[in-house]
Amino acid sequence: MSRISEDQVKHVANLARLSITEDEAKTFTKQLDDIITYAEQLNELDTEGVEPTTHVLDLKNVMRKDEPKDWIKKEDALKNAPDQQDGQFKVPSIMD
Amino acid sequence: MSLFEHSLKELTQKLNNKEITATDLVEESYARIKEVDDDVKAFLTLDEENARAYATELDQNADGKAKLFGLPIGIKDNIVTKGLRTTAASQILSNLYDPLYDATVVQKVQQEKAVTIGKLNMDEFAMGSSNENSSFQATRNPWNTDHVPGGSSGGSAASVAAGEVPFSLGTDTGGSIRQPASYCGVVGLKPTYGRVSRFGLIAFASSLDQIGPLTRSVEDNAYVLETIAGHDEMDSTSANVDVPAYTEALTGDVSNLKIAVPKEYFTEGVDEEVKASVRKALEKYEELGATWEEVSLPHSKYALSTYYLIASSEASANLARFDGVRYGRRSENADTMIDMFKNSRSEGFGDEVKRRIMLGTFALSSGYYDAYYKKAQQVRTLIKNDFDKIFEDYDVVIGPTAPTPAFKIGEQMDNPLTMYANDILTIPVNLAGVPGISVPCGFAENGLPIGLQIIGKHFDESTVYRAAHAFEQATDHHKQRPALGGKAQ
């Protein structure tokens, strides 16, 4: 049984903001299905009650005073932008 | 003989004694790049004009006191360099000529007056094990240019092996420093998670990524780590732990070293030649007075699955920032913002990157999160516990770095899962967050290098280096150089 369908792959691509062709959808479905099927070997393990590890070190939240610091100027922040206007990033229309 | 046959410490002494100049070193670097990089293809961007000008400036105001004074360095292209193109080998960043800031590691090597030669090729966003996923070029193995250099820090390893630079920086998420170091016959260390600041590293999987040095010798490696390690207020995951003088740990004495050898690192997927080389290395350790015992890391076989679920999930979030709005390439073919996002990303990312973004998005999506992502994080705990338990009784864990020597270009591109298996022995180290090094331990019959992996406790790079150095000094594998199509040094 396949673990992921072509429709799911298209759905996931949309969530990830990727456009994929029909051919790509087929290829990715096969490849992702192989990977997910392989990864399901984890189900052999009983992990009942095992704490998930998000970070290996005993990290604590680092708090700093909320003080403004110099970083970069607005012109610098905009210099690599594909498009800009009036000191702001410009994007195509948000509504259809 | 190349100047880069000298250790970094020797080079700084020669600079201090005015036997050589920083300009000599920079010229040596570019001359070698001109000679061999058409074949090796390690560099994506060269910074010739600035490097020469900076070397001249150093020579004029030489006090020679800085630790890396005048030493040429190559930097992996996912480490951000102000004013120097930084692409992570991706088309989506191919026009990022002028990043706004320097990564902390770049600031640190610059404070010690190293000279940046250029940016090194890699698999796109560090996703890959062969450098074939670079969207610009495939770097080749200096020992045999029909073979891959490994990845993702393939350019970093190949440039050092080919004598183009005496040292470089790479990054390691699942083996990306150690596996190419093994394939190219150089020394590469992945430090403890949190040992080196990740500020300015283009993130792939934030809970696994670490920056580390690639060098020709263990001493050089320890010397560079002394410079780049340490706490950084710009990276809240960098650890506030003192940085020891790693080079002082290189005593050559391993007489009381207790070595654990996991039986899972000698499974059927590992080449006989690789196993034989590692067994010979263990005999060498016995001669040197160390002891070793076979142990078990029972969850090793689950590491690959765990890694791909966790790393891809983190990548899917990290790579959401590439949207064609603030920097990077924007698709010309879009009338609405959503289409602009989609087309910019689809045109800008390669297949492996898309595959991992989709795998991660799937593993994190509603209804699948517990079954895949959370499950993987729980298994990560079991893998980490395996190491914790072993390190109660042993100083280091030793095994092969990679299951095989470097494979041929094109050989493993058809099946992503086969390619992933190259990292099966390095991935557990990232999941546990412990430090690991690869040092040369022999050559296969076809002349390609084999690497020995030495793994240590959290923040115990000193013992890892001591063990690696003692072995290195008792053997001569690290003194071999690739012929590079007859262009021997």
Side-chain angles (χ1 to χ4, degrees), chain A residues 8 14 16-17 19 31 40-42 44-45 47 50-51 53-57 64 69 72 79-82 90 93 96, chain B residues 98 100 193 233 301-302 305 324-327 330 335-337 342-343 345-346 355 358 362 368 372 375 377-378 381 431-432:
Chain A
Q8 277 177 300
N14 180 50
R17 296 290 183 247
S19 51
Q31 290 169 334
E40 287 196 347
Q41 64 156 189
L42 298 186
E44 293 167 16
L45 291 169
T47 50
V50 176
E51 277 294 312
T53 294
T54 45
H55 262 287
V56 286
L57 303 177
R64 260 203 304 267
K69 277 187 187 174
I72 49 171
K79 75 181 174 184
N80 288 310
K90 189 178 177 190
S93 79
D96 279 330
Chain B
D98 194 7
L100 301 183
Y193 183 81
E233 68 165 20
K301 71 167 173 171
Y302 300 104
S305 301
V325 175
R326 291 151 301 154
Y327 52 84
R330 175 183 290 189
D335 297 328
T336 68
M337 191 172 70
K342 283 187 176 176
N343 294 348
R345 289 163 65 78
S346 300
R355 217 162 13 242
M358 287 195 282
F362 176 72
Y368 297 96
Y372 295 111
K375 181 83 183 181
Q377 286 193 316
Q378 288 175 312
T381 305
L431 290 170

Short mmCIF file of all heavy atoms in Angstrom, two decimals, chain A residues 8 14 16-17 19 31 40-42 44-45 47 50-51 53-57 64 69 72 79-82 90 93 96, chain B residues 98 100 193 233 301-302 305 324-327 330 335-337 342-343 345-346 355 358 362 368 372 375 377-378 381 431-432:
data_model
loop_
_atom_site.label_atom_id
_atom_site.label_comp_id
_atom_site.label_asym_id
_atom_site.label_seq_id
_atom_site.Cartn_x
_atom_site.Cartn_y
_atom_site.Cartn_z
N GLN A 8 -2.01 13.81 -2.46
CA GLN A 8 -1.36 14.34 -1.25
C GLN A 8 -0.08 15.09 -1.58
O GLN A 8 0.22 16.11 -0.98
CB GLN A 8 -1.04 13.18 -0.29
CG GLN A 8 -2.21 12.76 0.58
CD GLN A 8 -1.84 11.57 1.43
OE1 GLN A 8 -1.49 10.52 0.90
NE2 GLN A 8 -1.92 11.72 2.74
N ASN A 14 1.58 22.43 -2.59
CA ASN A 14 0.87 23.70 -2.45
C ASN A 14 1.12 24.33 -1.09
O ASN A 14 1.39 25.53 -0.99
CB ASN A 14 -0.63 23.47 -2.68
CG ASN A 14 -1.42 24.77 -2.54
OD1 ASN A 14 -1.06 25.78 -3.15
ND2 ASN A 14 -2.45 24.76 -1.71
N ALA A 16 3.72 23.96 0.66
CA ALA A 16 5.12 24.40 0.69
C ALA A 16 5.39 25.48 -0.35
O ALA A 16 6.53 25.88 -0.55
CB ALA A 16 6.05 23.20 0.47
N ARG A 17 4.33 25.95 -1.01
CA ARG A 17 4.47 26.98 -2.05
C ARG A 17 5.46 26.56 -3.13
O ARG A 17 6.40 27.28 -3.46
CB ARG A 17 4.88 28.32 -1.43
CG ARG A 17 3.83 28.90 -0.48
CD ARG A 17 2.61 29.37 -1.25
NE ARG A 17 1.59 30.00 -0.40
CZ ARG A 17 0.38 29.47 -0.17
NH1 ARG A 17 0.04 28.29 -0.68
NH2 ARG A 17 -0.49 30.12 0.57
N SER A 19 5.26 24.93 -7.13
CA SER A 19 4.39 24.45 -8.20
C SER A 19 5.10 23.29 -8.88
O SER A 19 6.28 23.38 -9.21
CB SER A 19 4.08 25.57 -9.20
OG SER A 19 5.25 26.19 -9.63
N GLN A 31 9.10 8.63 -5.20
CA GLN A 31 10.29 8.80 -4.35
C GLN A 31 9.92 9.04 -2.89
O GLN A 31 10.51 8.44 -1.99
CB GLN A 31 11.14 9.98 -4.87
CG GLN A 31 11.81 9.66 -6.20
CD GLN A 31 12.44 10.88 -6.85
OE1 GLN A 31 12.00 12.02 -6.59
NE2 GLN A 31 13.43 10.66 -7.69
N GLU A 40 9.15 4.11 7.97
CA GLU A 40 8.18 3.47 8.87
C GLU A 40 8.78 2.32 9.66
O GLU A 40 8.13 1.77 10.56
CB GLU A 40 6.94 3.04 8.09
CG GLU A 40 6.12 4.28 7.74
CD GLU A 40 4.70 3.97 7.31
OE1 GLU A 40 4.40 2.79 7.03
OE2 GLU A 40 3.90 4.93 7.25
N GLN A 41 10.06 1.99 9.39
CA GLN A 41 10.76 1.03 10.26
C GLN A 41 10.77 1.53 11.71
O GLN A 41 10.90 0.74 12.64
CB GLN A 41 12.21 0.80 9.77
CG GLN A 41 13.05 2.06 9.86
CD GLN A 41 14.56 1.82 9.96
OE1 GLN A 41 15.30 2.73 10.21
NE2 GLN A 41 15.02 0.59 9.75
N LEU A 42 10.60 2.85 11.90
CA LEU A 42 10.60 3.39 13.27
C LEU A 42 9.45 2.80 14.09
O LEU A 42 9.51 2.76 15.32
CB LEU A 42 10.51 4.92 13.26
CG LEU A 42 11.65 5.69 12.61
CD1 LEU A 42 11.47 7.19 12.83
CD2 LEU A 42 13.01 5.25 13.15
N GLU A 44 8.75 -0.14 14.44
CA GLU A 44 9.19 -1.35 15.15
C GLU A 44 9.49 -1.04 16.62
O GLU A 44 9.50 -1.93 17.45
CB GLU A 44 10.51 -1.89 14.55
CG GLU A 44 10.40 -2.43 13.15
CD GLU A 44 11.78 -2.65 12.53
OE1 GLU A 44 12.79 -2.67 13.28
OE2 GLU A 44 11.83 -2.79 11.30
N LEU A 45 9.79 0.22 16.90
CA LEU A 45 10.23 0.60 18.24
C LEU A 45 9.06 1.06 19.09
O LEU A 45 8.23 1.85 18.65
CB LEU A 45 11.25 1.73 18.16
CG LEU A 45 12.61 1.38 17.56
CD1 LEU A 45 13.41 2.64 17.29
CD2 LEU A 45 13.38 0.45 18.50
N THR A 47 7.94 3.46 21.63
CA THR A 47 8.43 4.72 22.17
C THR A 47 7.44 5.29 23.19
O THR A 47 7.51 6.47 23.52
CB THR A 47 8.67 5.76 21.05
OG1 THR A 47 7.50 5.81 20.23
CG2 THR A 47 9.86 5.38 20.20
N VAL A 50 8.59 7.77 25.94
CA VAL A 50 9.91 8.34 25.66
C VAL A 50 9.76 9.83 25.34
O VAL A 50 8.96 10.20 24.49
CB VAL A 50 10.59 7.62 24.47
CG1 VAL A 50 11.93 8.27 24.13
CG2 VAL A 50 10.77 6.14 24.78
N GLU A 51 10.52 10.67 26.03
CA GLU A 51 10.47 12.12 25.78
C GLU A 51 11.08 12.42 24.41
O GLU A 51 12.17 11.95 24.10
CB GLU A 51 11.29 12.86 26.85
CG GLU A 51 10.55 13.12 28.14
CD GLU A 51 9.38 14.09 27.97
OE1 GLU A 51 9.59 15.15 27.35
OE2 GLU A 51 8.27 13.76 28.44
N THR A 53 13.26 14.43 21.75
CA THR A 53 14.41 15.34 21.84
C THR A 53 14.29 16.39 20.74
O THR A 53 14.31 16.06 19.56
CB THR A 53 15.73 14.56 21.65
OG1 THR A 53 15.88 13.67 22.74
CG2 THR A 53 16.92 15.51 21.60
N THR A 54 14.12 17.65 21.15
CA THR A 54 14.14 18.71 20.16
C THR A 54 15.53 19.31 20.06
O THR A 54 15.96 19.75 19.01
CB THR A 54 13.16 19.85 20.52
OG1 THR A 54 13.31 20.15 21.91
CG2 THR A 54 11.73 19.44 20.27
N HIS A 55 16.24 19.31 21.19
CA HIS A 55 17.60 19.84 21.23
C HIS A 55 18.43 18.98 22.15
O HIS A 55 17.96 18.56 23.20
CB HIS A 55 17.60 21.29 21.74
CG HIS A 55 17.64 22.28 20.63
ND1 HIS A 55 18.77 22.50 19.90
CD2 HIS A 55 16.69 23.10 20.11
CE1 HIS A 55 18.53 23.42 18.97
NE2 HIS A 55 17.27 23.79 19.08
N VAL A 56 19.68 18.71 21.76
CA VAL A 56 20.49 17.80 22.55
C VAL A 56 21.05 18.44 23.81
O VAL A 56 21.38 17.77 24.76
CB VAL A 56 21.67 17.22 21.73
CG1 VAL A 56 21.16 16.21 20.74
CG2 VAL A 56 22.46 18.31 21.05
N LEU A 57 21.19 19.75 23.80
CA LEU A 57 21.75 20.41 24.98
C LEU A 57 20.62 20.91 25.87
O LEU A 57 19.50 21.11 25.43
CB LEU A 57 22.62 21.60 24.56
CG LEU A 57 23.76 21.27 23.61
CD1 LEU A 57 24.50 22.54 23.23
CD2 LEU A 57 24.72 20.29 24.24
N ARG A 64 17.16 38.95 26.91
CA ARG A 64 17.99 40.16 26.86
C ARG A 64 17.10 41.35 27.13
O ARG A 64 15.89 41.28 26.94
CB ARG A 64 18.58 40.32 25.45
CG ARG A 64 19.99 39.88 25.29
CD ARG A 64 20.65 40.56 24.10
NE ARG A 64 19.96 40.37 22.85
CZ ARG A 64 20.23 39.41 21.99
NH1 ARG A 64 21.16 38.53 22.24
NH2 ARG A 64 19.58 39.32 20.85
N LYS A 69 19.28 48.28 19.10
CA LYS A 69 20.70 48.29 18.77
C LYS A 69 20.84 48.62 17.31
O LYS A 69 19.93 48.36 16.51
CB LYS A 69 21.30 46.89 19.00
CG LYS A 69 21.70 46.60 20.42
CD LYS A 69 22.44 45.27 20.47
CE LYS A 69 22.72 44.87 21.90
NZ LYS A 69 23.32 43.52 21.97
N ILE A 72 21.26 47.17 10.56
CA ILE A 72 21.50 47.66 9.21
C ILE A 72 20.53 48.78 8.90
O ILE A 72 19.47 48.88 9.50
CB ILE A 72 21.33 46.52 8.17
CG1 ILE A 72 20.01 45.77 8.42
CG2 ILE A 72 22.51 45.59 8.20
CD1 ILE A 72 19.67 44.81 7.35
N LYS A 79 18.68 46.65 -0.52
CA LYS A 79 19.56 46.64 -1.70
C LYS A 79 19.54 45.33 -2.48
O LYS A 79 19.83 45.32 -3.66
CB LYS A 79 20.99 47.02 -1.31
CG LYS A 79 21.74 45.94 -0.59
CD LYS A 79 23.14 46.38 -0.22
CE LYS A 79 23.78 45.29 0.61
NZ LYS A 79 25.08 45.64 1.11
N ASN A 80 19.19 44.22 -1.82
CA ASN A 80 19.13 42.95 -2.55
C ASN A 80 17.70 42.59 -2.98
O ASN A 80 17.46 41.48 -3.47
CB ASN A 80 19.69 41.83 -1.67
CG ASN A 80 21.20 41.91 -1.53
OD1 ASN A 80 21.92 42.03 -2.53
ND2 ASN A 80 21.69 41.88 -0.30
N ALA A 81 16.76 43.50 -2.79
CA ALA A 81 15.36 43.18 -3.09
C ALA A 81 15.12 43.12 -4.60
O ALA A 81 15.60 43.97 -5.34
CB ALA A 81 14.45 44.22 -2.47
N PRO A 82 14.37 42.11 -5.05
CA PRO A 82 14.03 42.03 -6.48
C PRO A 82 13.23 43.24 -6.95
O PRO A 82 13.34 43.64 -8.10
CB PRO A 82 13.18 40.75 -6.58
CG PRO A 82 13.54 39.96 -5.38
CD PRO A 82 13.87 40.95 -4.31
N LYS A 90 8.46 45.52 -2.72
CA LYS A 90 7.26 45.53 -3.56
C LYS A 90 6.99 44.11 -4.05
O LYS A 90 7.90 43.41 -4.50
CB LYS A 90 7.48 46.46 -4.75
CG LYS A 90 6.22 46.70 -5.55
CD LYS A 90 6.47 47.68 -6.68
CE LYS A 90 5.20 47.84 -7.50
NZ LYS A 90 5.46 48.59 -8.74
N SER A 93 0.35 41.78 -6.97
CA SER A 93 -0.90 41.97 -6.24
C SER A 93 -1.24 40.74 -5.40
O SER A 93 -1.00 39.61 -5.79
CB SER A 93 -2.04 42.27 -7.20
OG SER A 93 -2.47 41.08 -7.78
N ASP A 96 -6.41 38.33 -6.38
CA ASP A 96 -6.54 38.01 -7.81
C ASP A 96 -7.20 39.15 -8.57
O ASP A 96 -8.07 39.82 -8.04
CB ASP A 96 -7.37 36.74 -7.99
CG ASP A 96 -6.50 35.51 -7.76
OD1 ASP A 96 -5.28 35.60 -8.05
OD2 ASP A 96 -7.03 34.49 -7.29
N ASP B 98 25.89 40.55 -2.62
CA ASP B 98 26.32 41.45 -1.57
C ASP B 98 25.54 41.23 -0.27
O ASP B 98 24.73 42.06 0.13
CB ASP B 98 26.12 42.89 -2.08
CG ASP B 98 26.83 43.90 -1.21
OD1 ASP B 98 27.57 43.49 -0.30
OD2 ASP B 98 26.63 45.11 -1.45
N LEU B 100 24.47 41.16 3.61
CA LEU B 100 24.52 42.34 4.49
C LEU B 100 25.51 42.22 5.64
O LEU B 100 25.89 43.21 6.24
CB LEU B 100 23.13 42.59 5.08
CG LEU B 100 22.02 42.82 4.07
CD1 LEU B 100 20.71 43.13 4.79
CD2 LEU B 100 22.39 43.95 3.14
N TYR B 193 27.41 19.99 19.10
CA TYR B 193 26.36 20.96 18.80
C TYR B 193 26.44 22.11 19.81
O TYR B 193 26.49 21.87 21.01
CB TYR B 193 24.97 20.30 18.86
CG TYR B 193 23.90 21.28 18.48
CD1 TYR B 193 23.63 21.54 17.15
CD2 TYR B 193 23.20 21.99 19.45
CE1 TYR B 193 22.68 22.48 16.79
CE2 TYR B 193 22.25 22.93 19.11
CZ TYR B 193 22.00 23.17 17.77
OH TYR B 193 21.06 24.11 17.42
N GLU B 233 26.44 35.78 21.34
CA GLU B 233 25.10 36.24 21.75
C GLU B 233 24.13 36.30 20.57
O GLU B 233 22.92 36.40 20.77
CB GLU B 233 25.19 37.60 22.45
CG GLU B 233 25.59 38.74 21.57
CD GLU B 233 25.30 40.10 22.23
OE1 GLU B 233 25.15 40.15 23.48
OE2 GLU B 233 25.23 41.08 21.49
N LYS B 301 20.59 1.54 13.56
CA LYS B 301 19.94 1.29 12.27
C LYS B 301 18.70 2.16 12.05
O LYS B 301 18.18 2.21 10.95
CB LYS B 301 19.61 -0.20 12.12
CG LYS B 301 18.49 -0.70 12.99
CD LYS B 301 18.07 -2.09 12.52
CE LYS B 301 17.06 -2.70 13.47
NZ LYS B 301 16.46 -3.92 12.98
N TYR B 302 18.25 2.82 13.11
CA TYR B 302 17.09 3.71 12.96
C TYR B 302 17.50 5.16 12.71
O TYR B 302 16.64 6.03 12.53
CB TYR B 302 16.20 3.63 14.21
CG TYR B 302 15.68 2.24 14.47
CD1 TYR B 302 16.23 1.44 15.47
CD2 TYR B 302 14.66 1.71 13.68
CE1 TYR B 302 15.77 0.16 15.69
CE2 TYR B 302 14.20 0.42 13.90
CZ TYR B 302 14.76 -0.36 14.90
OH TYR B 302 14.30 -1.62 15.11
N SER B 305 16.42 6.93 9.16
CA SER B 305 15.00 7.32 9.10
C SER B 305 14.73 8.52 10.00
O SER B 305 14.04 9.47 9.61
CB SER B 305 14.11 6.17 9.58
OG SER B 305 14.30 5.05 8.78
N GLY B 324 11.42 35.20 -2.71
CA GLY B 324 11.52 36.18 -3.79
C GLY B 324 11.08 37.59 -3.40
O GLY B 324 10.82 38.41 -4.28
N VAL B 325 11.01 37.87 -2.11
CA VAL B 325 10.56 39.20 -1.68
C VAL B 325 11.73 40.10 -1.29
O VAL B 325 11.88 41.20 -1.80
CB VAL B 325 9.56 39.11 -0.50
CG1 VAL B 325 9.19 40.51 0.00
CG2 VAL B 325 8.31 38.36 -0.94
N ARG B 326 12.58 39.61 -0.39
CA ARG B 326 13.61 40.50 0.20
C ARG B 326 14.97 40.37 -0.46
O ARG B 326 15.74 41.30 -0.51
CB ARG B 326 13.72 40.22 1.70
CG ARG B 326 12.49 40.67 2.46
CD ARG B 326 12.28 39.83 3.68
NE ARG B 326 12.12 38.43 3.30
CZ ARG B 326 12.40 37.41 4.09
NH1 ARG B 326 12.85 37.62 5.29
NH2 ARG B 326 12.23 36.17 3.67
N TYR B 327 15.29 39.18 -0.95
CA TYR B 327 16.56 38.95 -1.63
C TYR B 327 16.41 37.67 -2.43
O TYR B 327 15.42 36.96 -2.29
CB TYR B 327 17.72 38.85 -0.62
CG TYR B 327 17.47 37.86 0.48
CD1 TYR B 327 17.75 36.50 0.31
CD2 TYR B 327 16.91 38.26 1.69
CE1 TYR B 327 17.49 35.60 1.31
CE2 TYR B 327 16.65 37.35 2.70
CZ TYR B 327 16.95 36.02 2.50
OH TYR B 327 16.68 35.11 3.49
N ARG B 330 13.61 36.28 -8.08
CA ARG B 330 12.16 36.29 -8.19
C ARG B 330 11.78 35.84 -9.60
O ARG B 330 12.38 36.29 -10.56
CB ARG B 330 11.62 37.69 -7.93
CG ARG B 330 10.12 37.80 -8.13
CD ARG B 330 9.62 39.21 -7.94
NE ARG B 330 9.69 39.62 -6.54
CZ ARG B 330 9.14 40.76 -6.08
NH1 ARG B 330 8.50 41.57 -6.91
NH2 ARG B 330 9.24 41.07 -4.81
N ASP B 335 1.74 36.87 -11.83
CA ASP B 335 0.95 38.10 -11.71
C ASP B 335 0.46 38.32 -10.29
O ASP B 335 0.15 39.44 -9.90
CB ASP B 335 -0.27 38.04 -12.65
CG ASP B 335 0.18 37.97 -14.09
OD1 ASP B 335 1.24 38.56 -14.41
OD2 ASP B 335 -0.51 37.31 -14.90
N THR B 336 0.37 37.23 -9.52
CA THR B 336 -0.09 37.39 -8.14
C THR B 336 1.02 36.98 -7.18
O THR B 336 1.98 36.32 -7.57
CB THR B 336 -1.32 36.50 -7.85
OG1 THR B 336 -0.89 35.14 -7.89
CG2 THR B 336 -2.43 36.73 -8.86
N MET B 337 0.85 37.38 -5.94
CA MET B 337 1.92 37.12 -4.99
C MET B 337 2.11 35.62 -4.74
O MET B 337 3.24 35.14 -4.70
CB MET B 337 1.64 37.83 -3.66
CG MET B 337 2.86 37.79 -2.75
SD MET B 337 2.71 38.80 -1.29
CE MET B 337 1.49 37.90 -0.38
N LYS B 342 5.38 30.68 -5.51
CA LYS B 342 5.48 29.31 -6.03
C LYS B 342 6.47 29.21 -7.17
O LYS B 342 7.31 28.30 -7.21
CB LYS B 342 4.10 28.83 -6.52
CG LYS B 342 3.16 28.43 -5.41
CD LYS B 342 1.91 27.83 -6.03
CE LYS B 342 0.97 27.33 -4.95
NZ LYS B 342 -0.29 26.83 -5.53
N ASN B 343 6.38 30.16 -8.12
CA ASN B 343 7.26 30.06 -9.28
C ASN B 343 8.70 30.39 -8.93
O ASN B 343 9.63 29.77 -9.45
CB ASN B 343 6.74 30.95 -10.41
CG ASN B 343 5.41 30.45 -10.94
OD1 ASN B 343 4.98 29.34 -10.63
ND2 ASN B 343 4.73 31.29 -11.73
N ARG B 345 10.18 29.79 -6.12
CA ARG B 345 10.72 28.63 -5.40
C ARG B 345 10.91 27.44 -6.34
O ARG B 345 11.91 26.73 -6.25
CB ARG B 345 9.80 28.27 -4.23
CG ARG B 345 9.87 29.31 -3.10
CD ARG B 345 8.71 29.20 -2.13
NE ARG B 345 8.67 27.95 -1.38
CZ ARG B 345 9.45 27.67 -0.33
NH1 ARG B 345 10.33 28.55 0.09
NH2 ARG B 345 9.34 26.52 0.30
N SER B 346 9.95 27.24 -7.24
CA SER B 346 10.05 26.08 -8.14
C SER B 346 11.18 26.26 -9.15
O SER B 346 11.87 25.31 -9.49
CB SER B 346 8.73 25.87 -8.88
OG SER B 346 7.73 25.64 -7.92
N ARG B 355 12.29 17.83 -2.82
CA ARG B 355 11.91 16.56 -2.21
C ARG B 355 11.92 16.68 -0.68
O ARG B 355 11.01 16.25 0.00
CB ARG B 355 12.93 15.49 -2.65
CG ARG B 355 12.33 14.17 -2.89
CD ARG B 355 13.15 13.20 -3.73
NE ARG B 355 14.53 13.46 -3.99
CZ ARG B 355 15.04 13.63 -5.22
NH1 ARG B 355 14.28 13.59 -6.27
NH2 ARG B 355 16.33 13.85 -5.38
N MET B 358 9.15 18.92 0.69
CA MET B 358 7.84 18.24 0.67
C MET B 358 7.77 17.15 1.73
O MET B 358 6.74 17.00 2.41
CB MET B 358 7.56 17.69 -0.73
CG MET B 358 7.23 18.81 -1.72
SD MET B 358 6.48 18.23 -3.24
CE MET B 358 7.91 17.62 -4.07
N PHE B 362 5.13 17.29 4.74
CA PHE B 362 4.24 16.15 4.98
C PHE B 362 4.37 15.66 6.43
O PHE B 362 3.37 15.48 7.13
CB PHE B 362 4.59 15.03 4.00
CG PHE B 362 3.80 13.77 4.20
CD1 PHE B 362 2.46 13.71 3.87
CD2 PHE B 362 4.41 12.63 4.72
CE1 PHE B 362 1.73 12.54 4.05
CE2 PHE B 362 3.69 11.46 4.91
CZ PHE B 362 2.35 11.42 4.58
N TYR B 368 -0.29 13.76 10.51
CA TYR B 368 0.91 12.94 10.33
C TYR B 368 2.01 13.31 11.32
O TYR B 368 3.00 12.61 11.44
CB TYR B 368 1.44 13.08 8.89
CG TYR B 368 0.46 12.56 7.89
CD1 TYR B 368 -0.43 13.40 7.24
CD2 TYR B 368 0.39 11.18 7.62
CE1 TYR B 368 -1.36 12.91 6.34
CE2 TYR B 368 -0.53 10.68 6.73
CZ TYR B 368 -1.41 11.56 6.09
OH TYR B 368 -2.32 11.06 5.21
N TYR B 372 5.06 10.69 12.39
CA TYR B 372 6.38 10.83 11.77
C TYR B 372 7.32 11.72 12.55
O TYR B 372 8.36 11.29 13.03
CB TYR B 372 6.23 11.32 10.32
CG TYR B 372 5.52 10.34 9.44
CD1 TYR B 372 4.25 10.60 8.94
CD2 TYR B 372 6.11 9.11 9.13
CE1 TYR B 372 3.59 9.67 8.15
CE2 TYR B 372 5.46 8.17 8.34
CZ TYR B 372 4.19 8.46 7.85
OH TYR B 372 3.55 7.54 7.07
N LYS B 375 7.46 10.87 16.43
CA LYS B 375 8.07 9.54 16.55
C LYS B 375 9.58 9.64 16.34
O LYS B 375 10.38 9.07 17.10
CB LYS B 375 7.44 8.60 15.51
CG LYS B 375 7.96 7.18 15.55
CD LYS B 375 7.25 6.37 16.61
CE LYS B 375 7.81 4.96 16.70
NZ LYS B 375 7.10 4.16 17.72
N GLN B 377 11.51 12.19 16.78
CA GLN B 377 12.15 12.87 17.92
C GLN B 377 12.28 11.95 19.13
O GLN B 377 13.22 12.05 19.91
CB GLN B 377 11.35 14.10 18.30
CG GLN B 377 11.51 15.24 17.30
CD GLN B 377 10.95 16.53 17.86
OE1 GLN B 377 9.87 16.54 18.45
NE2 GLN B 377 11.69 17.60 17.71
N GLN B 378 11.32 11.04 19.29
CA GLN B 378 11.42 10.07 20.38
C GLN B 378 12.56 9.08 20.12
O GLN B 378 13.32 8.76 21.03
CB GLN B 378 10.09 9.31 20.53
CG GLN B 378 9.00 10.18 21.14
CD GLN B 378 7.66 9.47 21.17
OE1 GLN B 378 7.24 8.90 20.16
NE2 GLN B 378 6.98 9.52 22.30
N THR B 381 15.87 10.46 20.96
CA THR B 381 16.21 10.30 22.38
C THR B 381 16.88 8.95 22.63
O THR B 381 17.88 8.86 23.34
CB THR B 381 14.93 10.41 23.24
OG1 THR B 381 14.29 11.66 22.94
CG2 THR B 381 15.24 10.33 24.72
N LEU B 431 22.63 13.47 15.50
CA LEU B 431 21.41 13.31 16.29
C LEU B 431 21.72 13.38 17.78
O LEU B 431 20.94 13.92 18.56
CB LEU B 431 20.73 11.97 15.94
CG LEU B 431 20.10 11.90 14.54
CD1 LEU B 431 19.69 10.48 14.21
CD2 LEU B 431 18.90 12.85 14.42
N ALA B 432 22.88 12.84 18.19
CA ALA B 432 23.26 12.87 19.60
C ALA B 432 23.93 14.18 19.98
O ALA B 432 24.09 14.47 21.16
CB ALA B 432 24.19 11.69 19.91
#
